């Protein structure tokens, strides 16, 4: 038997013994037999110097490979028997390898959720500029010049006879100028109000406005649409209350309260003991708005609504300070990952 | 606005509870915000009598009173200036809970034990008056609960009104809605006016210079009044509406305004200064003092009531100091006018004040409600102040404002609302609201001038539905409108960019978009700024022109709160002004920001975030959107560090920049550690994304991987080396990646070792070892030739 064959046979034999050993003691014994100071593999390695040069290199490499493999296999096999006394291979209570993904901003998530619901109802998204003209933000929306209705929204004015839009409703006008009915659109985006920054108010907030114009659109359709939205966004089984209100660009106008989803309408701190939460404004598009954009109000009717983003989010997640939406504090943002 | 519950009951005869009234009104558009009992701070408060009053040694402001509260006599320390022995007073027993939830307890003051409190109006939540204690009538029965004695068990209903409804700024107006809700008749106050024979026109003439601004000015003369406090029923009613009683004449003008909504003003006729009223625009720089003691310098925006020479009142806003009713006033010139709403709006802005009067005129008073208001007030001045009402109204009303007539088609009403209301019901609602209705189809509706908001058919439709209630509309369950919804490319882009970047570990930040001109100038001195004309603060006085300052502010905020692993991105707009109506731009931008270290874990070693964390994420975006590769060209950007500052180019076009924020810039926002940032202009890039993925057939033949480590000059960019390998290997090099980069002690100074892994593969057959070796030799030769590369290991 050549020395190479001898190494191969020895390996075969040892592996068999490792796999059939029935105790730690026998494993240890075998290890001495093969890898001990007077072990068989050790003997081969020791005898290398007596071999011819070419053979020496080849056999040496094989024998060493064999030694490494057997040592590993003995280690693994011995651990199999000594589990009780020694630490287990795996500690599953350690956190797995860190896999950090970033968090999308909560505002993004809420807008996506709202838009997703409306998208499912067949609304398309449209966008418009943040810096607007008086015409789109007020006049075309039927705010008379110098009228107290303009005080309902504290406005930032910008040089060049512009202003920061106070709602995303101007996009409605821009789309009405471009499209022919049927038009079914939501307009998510940033709006601005000139208010002192505090826990309840900020200079900027987001809104998802929506509107539908077609032949035969009624207030019943508006109610149906908003009831469906609220079910999807806030949960099933909550009552809505439509209260008449006033917006220059809709008539009849309504504000919608939803039964407080935290207390189920019994009254709690969040709903200020009323059992109701104010969540959105809506109404039938004022005929003047349609006329101004060249649509015949006798032929078409439409509804419109505007939903804040931060406020429902604050209610839903019980956030008590609107500034958290803008100070980019990762301790906040990462809670919504 | 606040209205007394009892008053509303009186005007309607309804027995609804305050809550029911509030709810029904809210559901019909008059939003009731709060309902408070007027007697909410009067539990345990009774009529008491001061039996004895004695001084307390060493105290000159407080006294000791012995008070009989009907059951016992107790000692009470009292500091009111008007307390006197034998007085009947409002006495709060121990245990009473007063304004501000102040509970009366046994107390020791200056060594004297005190068992209760003698109260002022403020302490009982009746008004702000804290000048002295309430002194009751001498015949008030001691021990009777105060509420009972004062007949003060009323409720204050506080309403938040919409700007379109001036008619609901009065008790009658709100009662009118209640009457319509209950379908009953409104019970207007009835009175007969007692006049003396002398005509009022003997005392005063009225003329209007600007009938556009003041379409009507009317006056009455009431002489021989005696100024005194109003009787309790007047004061009580005012208090329950949140108005502070002053004296009988002023209280009557306020009471009538609260009743019918029309503001009145009483002048002292003797102080008026002439026998004519002239209504005109103020002259430029004309001086005038209003009765709140402020002196104004006016201009033409202010409508001035004058005595022909000088101003006596800022019309519709506030009376003048010079002609105010005082304690010795005997003769009254009572004004009721109608002013153009937008004139009053401009005027009160100029005067920087909002009054009960201005807010009613600004929303639209009733030009034809003037007779009622004047007559009602004059009669009360006769009854309560002993005044003689001179005959007739001196009325300047050049062009009468007539009621409007509108048609309402019942079918249209149902078509807009999606309802099946009967024509009869519509008619009834409108009639209950005191509109006149004739005919059936269409209904011809005459709208009294107290409803200036009703101008069109749609306004009447709203009236019908707000009284009938939105609950009467059945929710539609059909989804109507277009069948297909498109998605905007920029929305789809933003959505995918967020997926990619959050998957890379970047957190999304979001800024409000306002910025500081000072910081913006520091960062980008050459970029134009869009200024806000009425900023809330200096720090928010422009619309931002770069995402970088917001990003740095976010870094600063988080570092301050010990969040130290910062990888942020923002998708947001920047703003550039145009010239006139064109060129206003709001380009979408993307900013990536990194600072601090990767988190340390049990198997992850923390390392600082650096430039390659930015370019790594950008590369993922490039791959995702299949954009052409970005090139990073060294170039100095104003706010970036000299050494690490790059222009980002896509096919030669500049699309942004990346680099290390210059340390002194970072310090301006309080950041003292390295912050790396990339800002990409998305305009153009969104459109160049390639959506269509073309499937590549899987390779059939085996790959032959080869590693190659070379030593080159440290300044040679890796990109050039890879390019060189690619060009030498041709299309057989399937991929070339850097798998190790080393500079340091082991190698020569100024050199770097770069290890490449090249995957060779042919699409047409297996490559033999010899073929691969040959190409690899070509690669090596090219590298040696081009870069003087030294091969470390083949």
């Amino acid at each position: 038997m050549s020395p190479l064959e001898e190494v191969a046979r020895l390996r075969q034999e040892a592996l068999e013994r490792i796999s059939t050993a029935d105790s730690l003691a026998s494993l240890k014994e075998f290890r001495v037999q093969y890898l001990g100071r007077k072990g068989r593999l050790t003997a081969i390695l020791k005898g290398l110097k007596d071999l011819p040069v070419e053979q020496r290199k080849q056999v040496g490499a094989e024998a060493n490979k064999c030694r490494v493999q057997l040592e590993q296999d003995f280690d693994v096999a011995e651990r199999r028997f000594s589990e009780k006394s020694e630490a287990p291979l795996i500690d599953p209570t350690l956190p797995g390898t860190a896999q950090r993904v970033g968090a999308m901003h909560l505002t993004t998530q809420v807008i996506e959720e709202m838009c997703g619901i409306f998208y499912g109802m067949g609304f398309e998204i449209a966008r418009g500029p943040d810096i607007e003209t008086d015409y789109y933000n007020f006049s075309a929306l039927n705010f008379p010049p110098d009228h107290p209705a303009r005080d309902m929204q504290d406005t930032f004015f910008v040089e060049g006879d512009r202003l920061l839009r106070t709602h995303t409703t101007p996009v409605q006008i821009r789309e009405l100028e471009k499209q022919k009915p049927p038009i079914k659109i939501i307009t998510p985006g940033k709006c601005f109000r000139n208010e002192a920054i505090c826990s309840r108010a900020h200079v900027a907030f987001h809104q998802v406005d929506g509107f539908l114009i077609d032949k035969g659109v009624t207030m019943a359709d508006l109610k149906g649409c908003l009831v469906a939205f609220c079910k999807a966004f806030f949960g099933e089984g909550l009552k809505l209350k439509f209260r008449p209100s006033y917006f220059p660009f809709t008539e009849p106008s309504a504000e919608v309260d939803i039964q407080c989803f935290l207390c189920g309408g019994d009254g709690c701190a969040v709903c200020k003991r009323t059992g109701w939460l104010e969540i959105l404004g809506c109404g039938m598009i004022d005929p003047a708005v349609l006329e101004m954009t060249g649509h015949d109000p006798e032929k078409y009717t439409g509804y419109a609504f505007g939903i804040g983003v931060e406020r429902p989010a604050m209610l839903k997640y019980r956030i008590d300070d609107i500034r958290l939406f803008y100070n980019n504090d990762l301790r906040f943002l990462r809670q919504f990952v | 606005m606040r209205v007394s519950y009892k008053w509303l009951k009186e005007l309607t005869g309804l027995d609804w509870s305050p809550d029911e009234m509030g709810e029904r009104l809210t559901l019909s558009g008059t939003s009731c915000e709060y309902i408070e009992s007027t007697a909410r701070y009067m539990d345990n408060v009774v009529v008491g009598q001061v039996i004895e009053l004695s001084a307390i040694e060493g105290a000159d402001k407080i006294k000791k009173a012995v008070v009989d509260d009907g059951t016992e006599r107790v000692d009470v320390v009292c500091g009111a200036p008007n307390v006197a022995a034998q007085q009947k007073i409002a006495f709060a027993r121990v245990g009473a809970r007063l304004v501000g939830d102040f509970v009366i307890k046994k107390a020791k003051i200056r060594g004297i034990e005190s068992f209760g409190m003698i109260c002022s109006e403020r302490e009982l939540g009746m008004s702000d008056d804290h000048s002295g204690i309430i002194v009751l009538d001498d015949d008030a029965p001691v021990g009777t609960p105060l509420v009972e004695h004062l007949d003060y068990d009323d409720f204050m209903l506080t309403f938040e009104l919409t700007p379109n409804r001036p008619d609901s700024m009065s008790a009658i107006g709100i009662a009118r809605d209640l009457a319509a809700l209950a379908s009953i008749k409104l019970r207007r106050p009835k009175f007969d006016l007692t006049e003396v024979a002398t005509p009022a026109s003997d005392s005063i003439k009225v003329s209007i210079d600007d009938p556009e601004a003041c379409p009507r000015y009317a006056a009455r003369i009431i002489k021989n009044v005696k100024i005194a406090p109003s009787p309790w029923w007047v004061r009580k009613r005012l208090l329950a509406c949140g108005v502070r009683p002053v004296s009988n004449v002023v209280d009557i003008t306020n009471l009538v305004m609260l009743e019918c909504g029309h503001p009145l003003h009483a002048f002292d006729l003797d102080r008026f200064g002439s026998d004519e009223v002239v209504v005109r625009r103020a002259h430029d720089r004309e001086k005038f003092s209003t009765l709140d003691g402020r002196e104004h310098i006016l201009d033409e925006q202010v409508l001035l009531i004058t005595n022909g020479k000088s101003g006596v009142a800022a019309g519709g806003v506030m009376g003048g100091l010079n002609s105010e009713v005082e304690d010795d006033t005997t003769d009254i010139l009572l004004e009721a006018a109608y002013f153009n709403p937008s004139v009053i709006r401009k005027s009160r802005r100029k005067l920087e004040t909002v009054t009960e009067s201005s807010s009613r005129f600004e929303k639209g008073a009733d030009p034809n409600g003037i007779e009622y208001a004047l007559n009602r007030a004059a009669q009360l001045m006769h009854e309560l102040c002993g005044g003689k009402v001179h005959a007739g109204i001196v009325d300047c009303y050049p062009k009468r404002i007539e009621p409007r007539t509108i048609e309402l088609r019942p079918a249209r009403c149902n078509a807009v609302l999606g309802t099946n209301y009967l024509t009869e019901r519509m008619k009834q609602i409108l009639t209950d609201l005191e509109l006149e209705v004739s005919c059936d189809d269409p209904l011809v509706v005459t709208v009294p001038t107290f409803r200036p908001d009703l101008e069109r058919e749609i306004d009447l439709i709203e009236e019908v539905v707000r009284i009938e209630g939105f609950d009467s509309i059945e929710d539609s369950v059909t989804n109507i409108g277009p069948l297909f919804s498109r998605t905007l490319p920029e929305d789809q882009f933003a959505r995918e960019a967020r997926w990619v970047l959050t998957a890379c570990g970047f957190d999304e930040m979001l800024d409000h978009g306002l910025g500081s001109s000072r910081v913006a100038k520091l960062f980008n001195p050459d970029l134009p700024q869009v200024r806000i004309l009425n900023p809330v603060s200096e720090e928010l006085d422009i619309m931002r022109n770069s995402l970088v300052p917001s990003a740095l502010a976010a870094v600063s905020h988080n570092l301050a709160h010990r969040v130290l692993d910062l990888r942020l991105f923002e998708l947001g707009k920047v703003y550039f002004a145009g010239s006139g109506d064109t060129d206003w731009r709001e380009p979408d931008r993307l900013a990536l920001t990194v600072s601090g270290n990767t988190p340390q874990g049990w198997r992850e070693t923390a390392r600082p975030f650096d430039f390659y964390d930015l370019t790594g994420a950008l590369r993922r975006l490039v791959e995702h959107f299949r954009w052409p590769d970005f090139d990073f060209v060294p170039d100095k950007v104003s706010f970036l560090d000299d050494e690490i500052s790059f222009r980002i180019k896509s096919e030669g076009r500049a699309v942004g920049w990346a680099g290390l924020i210059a340390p002194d810039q970072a310090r301006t926002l309080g950041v003292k550690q390295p912050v790396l940032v990339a800002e990409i202009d998305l305009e153009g890039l969104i459109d160049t994304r390639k959506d269509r993925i073309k499937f590549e057939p899987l390779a059939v033949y085996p790959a032959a991987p080869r590693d190659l480590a070379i030593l080159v000059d440290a300044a040679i960019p890796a990109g050039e080396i890879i390019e060189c390998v690619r060009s030498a290997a041709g299309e057989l090099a399937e991929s070339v990646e850097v798998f190790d980069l080393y500079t340091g002690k082991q190698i020569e100074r100024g050199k770097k070792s770069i290890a490449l892994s090249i995957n060779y593969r042919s699409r047409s057959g297996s490559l033999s070892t010899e073929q691969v070796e040959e190409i690899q030799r070509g690669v090596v030769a090219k590298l040696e030739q081009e870069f003087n590369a030294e091969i470390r290991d083949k």
Side-chain angles (χ1 to χ4, degrees):
Chain A
M1 197 168 24
S2 75
L4 265 183
E5 281 168 351
E6 202 177 327
V7 172
R9 213 179 69 194
L10 185 143
R11 182 204 321 244
Q12 179 94 38
E13 203 183 291
L15 288 174
E16 219 176 284
R17 289 204 149 166
I18 289 171
S19 62
T20 54
D22 55 2
S23 72
L24 189 60
S26 56
L27 267 176
K28 290 213 158 135
E29 197 188 311
F30 293 145
R31 175 174 262 197
V32 174
Q33 275 180 28
Y34 292 98
L35 301 171
R37 245 186 319 147
K38 290 184 178 162
R40 288 165 58 192
L41 188 62
T42 324
I44 292 175
L45 285 164
K46 275 184 182 161
L48 283 174
K49 60 181 190 300
D50 304 329
L51 292 173
V53 181
E54 306 94 83
Q55 234 186 348
R56 192 189 297 165
K57 207 173 173 184
Q58 216 181 350
V59 177
E62 267 315 295
N64 259 319
K65 239 160 90 183
C66 179
R67 184 179 54 84
V68 170
Q69 189 191 359
L70 290 183
E71 269 173 358
Q72 274 178 7
D73 286 12
F74 271 115
D75 282 351
V76 171
E78 280 174 19
R79 246 181 270 149
R80 211 168 58 217
F81 287 103
S82 56
E83 260 166 15
K84 278 186 195 109
S85 57
E86 282 178 49
L89 279 178
I90 296 294
D91 175 0
T93 64
L94 274 172
T97 312
Q99 309 285 346
R100 233 197 72 74
V101 294
M104 281 188 208
H105 198 284
L106 178 59
T107 304
T108 303
Q109 295 186 42
V110 176
I111 291 176
E112 284 278 302
E113 187 183 353
M114 289 181 171
C115 290
I117 294 166
F118 286 118
Y119 191 78
M121 295 186 214
F123 285 86
E124 245 169 45
I125 292 176
R127 293 180 186 272
D130 292 353
I131 300 179
E132 266 295 1
T133 60
D134 179 275
Y135 177 77
Y136 285 106
N137 197 72
F138 289 123
S139 304
L141 288 166
N142 201 31
F143 283 80
D146 247 318
H147 189 268
R150 292 192 176 217
D151 298 342
M152 293 164 80
Q153 309 183 345
D154 294 314
T155 312
F156 279 118
F157 295 96
V158 166
E159 60 184 338
D161 218 8
R162 304 271 156 147
L163 48 81
L164 302 187
R165 65 177 178 188
T166 56
H167 43 193
T168 60
T169 325
V171 184
Q172 184 181 318
I173 302 297
R174 291 178 176 275
E175 292 304 313
L176 281 172
E177 285 176 347
K178 273 190 261 178
Q179 300 196 34
K180 278 202 171 75
I183 315 174
K184 194 172 185 181
I185 276 177
I186 44 168
T187 60
K190 208 179 269 176
C191 319
F192 305 85
R193 296 273 166 97
N194 192 339
E195 291 186 42
I197 297 170
C198 66
S199 66
R200 312 290 309 162
H202 210 287
V203 291
F205 62 99
H206 290 77
Q207 209 179 29
V208 173
D209 256 36
F211 69 100
L212 164 67
I213 290 167
D214 202 350
K215 286 176 187 161
V217 176
T218 71
M219 192 111 194
D221 296 316
L222 169 62
K223 283 186 72 189
C225 165
L226 293 176
V227 166
F229 168 78
C230 289
K231 260 188 200 163
F233 188 79
F234 293 105
E236 304 259 353
L238 292 164
K239 280 192 200 126
L240 293 187
K241 185 158 87 177
F242 286 73
R243 287 183 285 113
S245 188
Y246 169 70
F247 308 108
F249 41 94
T250 52
E251 184 152 10
S253 303
E255 273 181 89
V256 182
D257 297 342
I258 189 167
Q259 211 171 26
C260 179
F261 43 78
L262 297 167
C263 62
D266 297 335
C268 65
V270 175
C271 62
K272 296 191 191 112
R273 316 260 155 232
T274 62
W276 296 94
L277 299 166
E278 193 179 312
I279 44 158
L280 62 91
C282 65
M284 298 302 290
I285 295 176
D286 196 291
V289 172
L290 293 174
E291 249 162 39
M292 249 180 290
T293 48
H295 301 274
D296 181 359
E298 283 295 312
K299 197 165 157 195
Y300 297 107
T301 48
Y303 64 65
F305 53 83
I307 308 169
V309 171
E310 286 86 354
R311 197 179 132 74
M314 287 170 83
L315 294 171
K316 207 167 167 171
Y317 300 102
R318 314 213 40 186
I319 299 162
D320 57 3
D321 191 337
I322 196 170
R323 288 171 292 197
L324 287 167
F325 287 81
Y326 288 108
N327 64 11
N328 295 309
D329 191 318
L330 286 168
R331 297 169 301 166
F332 171 76
L333 298 176
R334 284 176 183 168
Q335 291 184 32
F336 302 97
V337 71
Chain B
M1 198 196 56
R2 278 177 175 178
V3 180
S4 142
Y5 164 68
K6 277 190 170 171
W7 202 356
L8 293 176
K9 270 180 87 165
E10 208 174 286
L11 289 166
T12 56
L14 287 170
D15 60 355
W16 293 352
S17 70
D19 282 340
E20 191 174 2
M21 249 185 212
E23 179 73 1
R24 294 291 296 267
L25 285 167
T26 297
L27 288 178
S28 60
T30 311
S31 180
C32 180
E33 301 287 302
Y34 312 100
I35 300 173
E36 291 165 305
S37 159
T38 47
R40 64 202 182 287
Y41 299 114
M42 288 190 186
D43 281 352
N44 261 319
V45 182
V46 296
V47 176
Q49 183 166 27
V50 181
I51 303 297
E52 273 175 43
L53 200 62
S54 51
I56 298 172
E57 205 177 325
D60 33 319
K61 288 209 174 125
I62 55 172
K63 289 175 182 142
K64 187 182 99 173
V66 177
V67 172
D68 179 358
D69 76 349
T71 46
E72 56 179 339
R73 291 189 172 190
V74 292
D75 288 348
V76 178
V77 173
C78 179
N82 61 334
V83 66
Q86 303 313 313
Q87 267 174 349
K88 298 280 177 71
I89 44 89
F91 179 67
R93 287 175 173 150
V94 169
R97 196 176 56 90
L98 306 184
V99 154
D101 288 331
F102 173 63
V103 179
I104 301 296
K105 292 184 200 120
K106 194 175 86 176
K108 203 166 193 176
I109 303 156
R110 290 284 177 116
I112 312 277
E113 296 226 290
S114 181
F115 299 86
M117 184 187 248
I118 305 176
C119 302
S120 70
E121 286 188 0
R122 187 166 80 188
E123 281 142 4
L124 297 177
M126 296 169 76
S127 77
D128 288 338
D129 190 358
H130 195 50
S131 58
I133 55 161
I134 301 173
V135 179
L136 301 169
D137 297 341
D138 289 342
D139 56 0
V142 171
T144 311
L146 187 71
V147 186
E148 208 174 289
H149 173 67
L150 295 180
D151 184 24
Y152 207 64
D153 57 333
D154 197 353
F155 292 88
M156 289 186 281
L157 275 60
T158 304
F159 298 98
E160 190 166 272
L161 302 174
T162 53
N164 61 327
R165 292 287 307 278
D167 65 297
S168 45
M169 298 185 80
S170 68
I172 287 181
I174 288 176
R176 186 185 295 124
D177 269 14
L178 283 172
L181 288 166
S183 213
I184 53 166
K185 264 218 133 12
L186 183 66
R187 299 181 181 178
R188 280 170 188 277
K190 286 201 172 67
F191 62 95
D192 292 313
L193 180 63
T194 318
E195 291 176 304
V196 297
T198 326
S201 53
D202 285 359
S203 309
I204 200 81
K205 294 196 295 284
V206 174
S207 63
I208 300 171
D209 264 12
D210 186 347
E212 265 313 299
C214 176
R216 186 176 190 185
Y217 193 98
R220 267 195 175 277
I221 299 293
I222 303 104
K223 292 199 174 172
N224 297 88
V225 299
K226 189 174 173 345
I227 303 294
S230 295
W232 173 240
W233 74 265
V234 173
R235 284 189 287 146
K236 190 169 66 177
R237 187 144 280 178
L238 292 177
L239 289 172
C241 296
V243 174
R244 188 174 58 92
V246 183
S247 67
N248 48 13
V249 167
V250 175
D251 290 352
I252 287 167
T253 59
N254 283 332
L255 185 75
V256 172
M257 176 183 72
L258 292 171
E259 182 178 273
C260 70
H262 205 101
L264 295 167
H265 185 66
F267 296 101
D268 181 325
L269 188 60
D270 293 331
R271 292 191 178 91
F272 192 77
S274 82
D275 58 1
E276 61 166 349
V277 177
V278 178
V279 184
R280 63 163 168 83
R281 298 276 185 168
H283 304 310
D284 208 22
R285 310 206 55 77
E286 184 167 358
K287 281 186 183 168
F288 179 66
S289 296
T290 41
L291 53 76
D292 57 359
R294 290 193 303 153
E295 187 175 56
H296 304 271
I297 295 169
L298 309 179
D299 61 22
E300 285 213 325
Q301 293 199 1
V302 178
L303 191 68
L304 204 58
I305 314 299
T306 72
N307 57 14
K309 301 179 280 289
S310 55
V312 288
V317 184
M318 196 181 276
L321 201 55
N322 51 8
S323 54
E324 202 186 354
V325 170
E326 292 185 36
D327 289 350
D328 58 355
T329 298
T330 55
D331 297 347
I332 302 288
L333 164 60
L334 185 64
E335 162 203 296
Y338 173 73
F339 301 106
N340 179 317
S342 83
V343 170
I344 296 305
R345 183 175 163 83
K346 284 179 186 142
S347 192
R348 66 105 174 131
R349 278 192 168 168
K350 174 72 193 166
L351 296 168
E352 294 173 331
T353 188
V354 175
T355 60
E356 291 286 333
S357 166
S358 76
S359 57
R360 283 176 173 79
F361 283 123
E362 190 183 335
K363 288 177 182 127
D366 178 8
N368 300 320
I370 280 174
E371 288 87 346
Y372 176 89
L374 278 179
N375 293 347
R376 175 84 166 136
Q379 177 61 18
L380 286 171
M381 286 183 194
H382 169 65
E383 286 171 20
L384 306 179
C385 321
K388 292 190 167 51
V389 181
H390 286 208
I393 294 174
V394 183
D395 196 354
C396 184
Y397 194 9
K399 196 172 161 221
R400 190 182 160 77
I401 298 169
E402 297 294 344
R404 225 180 246 119
T405 301
I406 317 170
E407 292 183 354
L408 170 65
R409 294 163 294 172
R412 173 71 179 177
C413 178
N414 282 325
V416 169
L417 299 174
T419 49
N420 294 303
Y421 298 153
L422 299 175
T423 306
E424 271 316 300
R425 179 68 187 130
M426 297 181 196
K427 231 172 160 173
Q428 190 195 355
I429 288 172
L430 299 174
T431 313
D432 288 344
L433 287 167
E434 298 193 311
L435 315 180
E436 281 170 43
V437 186
S438 60
C439 307
D440 276 331
D441 195 7
L443 305 181
V444 177
V445 182
T446 307
V447 182
T449 45
F450 61 73
R451 289 300 303 271
D453 59 315
L454 304 183
E455 297 177 300
R456 303 164 301 162
E457 184 180 43
I458 193 74
D459 301 326
L460 297 178
I461 293 174
E462 182 173 58
E463 290 305 290
V464 171
V465 71
R466 77 176 179 86
I467 296 300
E468 197 64 1
F470 283 123
D471 278 349
S472 65
I473 302 177
E474 208 167 310
D475 307 344
S476 157
V477 290
T478 345
N479 192 5
I480 55 173
L483 282 172
F484 168 64
S485 325
R486 287 158 299 188
T487 301
L488 292 174
E490 58 264 40
D491 283 346
Q492 188 57 29
F493 170 83
R495 191 169 295 146
E496 290 177 34
R498 288 188 181 105
W499 292 339
V500 170
L501 291 168
T502 52
C504 289
F506 281 71
D507 292 300
E508 186 185 16
M509 58 168 280
L510 185 73
D511 189 72
H512 41 68
L514 279 64
S516 145
S517 57
R518 182 184 59 86
V519 175
K521 195 161 172 68
L522 222 54
F523 276 72
N524 293 295
D526 301 328
L527 272 189
Q529 301 175 347
V530 177
R531 288 197 165 270
I532 294 170
L533 300 175
N534 55 339
V536 280
S537 78
E538 270 177 33
E539 291 306 301
L540 299 175
D541 63 345
I542 58 161
M543 295 304 284
R544 63 179 171 178
N545 56 17
S546 161
L547 304 189
V548 174
S550 336
L552 193 56
V555 169
S556 172
H557 176 92
N558 281 293
L559 291 178
H561 291 95
R562 310 296 300 155
V563 183
L564 306 175
D565 58 317
L566 301 176
R567 274 182 294 174
L568 298 166
F569 76 94
E570 182 179 12
L571 284 158
K573 285 176 168 183
V574 292
Y575 305 86
F576 297 105
S579 47
D581 258 5
T582 51
D583 302 335
W584 285 73
R585 292 192 310 120
E586 299 181 5
D588 288 314
R589 293 261 177 102
L590 166 68
L592 299 180
T593 311
V594 299
S595 190
N597 295 302
T598 60
Q600 170 80 41
W602 65 276
R603 60 185 338 198
E604 299 88 13
T605 317
R607 64 161 179 86
F609 285 120
D610 61 23
F611 188 77
Y612 303 106
D613 291 295
L614 289 181
T615 50
L618 287 175
R619 186 171 169 194
R620 275 295 302 126
L621 286 173
V622 167
E623 284 167 6
H624 181 89
F625 294 112
R626 294 178 166 72
W627 285 330
D629 279 338
F630 283 169
D631 295 318
F632 295 84
V633 184
D635 189 7
K636 174 65 185 143
V637 175
S638 62
F639 54 89
L640 295 179
D641 181 79
D642 289 347
E643 298 279 329
I644 307 178
S645 175
F646 296 89
R647 207 51 78 169
I648 304 173
K649 295 196 167 178
S650 171
E651 294 185 310
R653 190 171 66 89
V655 294
W657 42 76
L660 173 69
I661 294 186
D664 50 331
Q665 305 271 21
R667 265 196 299 275
T668 61
L669 286 172
V671 180
K672 292 181 194 121
Q673 67 179 42
V675 179
L676 293 123
V677 59
E679 185 172 19
I680 312 283
D681 194 340
L682 297 171
E683 268 192 334
L685 277 179
I686 293 176
D687 303 333
T688 53
R689 69 175 291 184
K690 296 208 170 49
D691 278 323
R692 193 142 300 171
I693 299 174
K694 198 167 152 263
F695 165 71
E696 288 261 345
L698 305 185
V700 191
Y701 302 104
R706 290 291 186 277
D707 293 346
L708 179 65
I710 57 171
L711 200 64
V712 289
D713 205 59
I716 296 170
E720 286 181 23
I721 295 170
I722 290 169
E723 254 334 287
C724 172
V725 171
R726 284 186 180 281
S727 74
E731 57 186 21
L732 292 176
E734 190 182 55
S735 66
V736 183
E737 299 284 347
V738 176
F739 75 89
D740 190 37
L741 181 69
Y742 180 79
T743 52
K745 281 185 197 146
Q746 307 292 319
I747 54 175
E748 201 184 322
R749 230 179 131 81
K751 296 266 180 186
K752 67 179 168 193
S753 160
I754 183 163
L756 302 169
S757 141
I758 311 167
N759 214 31
Y760 294 106
R761 196 200 298 269
S762 163
R763 292 241 152 224
S764 55
S766 294
L767 292 171
S768 68
T769 314
E770 290 71 32
Q771 277 175 301
V772 175
E773 292 305 326
E774 195 190 324
I775 309 165
Q776 180 87 341
R777 273 196 298 278
V779 168
V780 169
K782 189 88 181 281
L783 287 171
E784 286 169 339
Q785 183 198 333
E786 294 252 318
F787 306 117
N788 201 17
E790 187 184 316
I791 310 305
R792 298 191 78 202
D793 182 14
K794 284 180 200 174

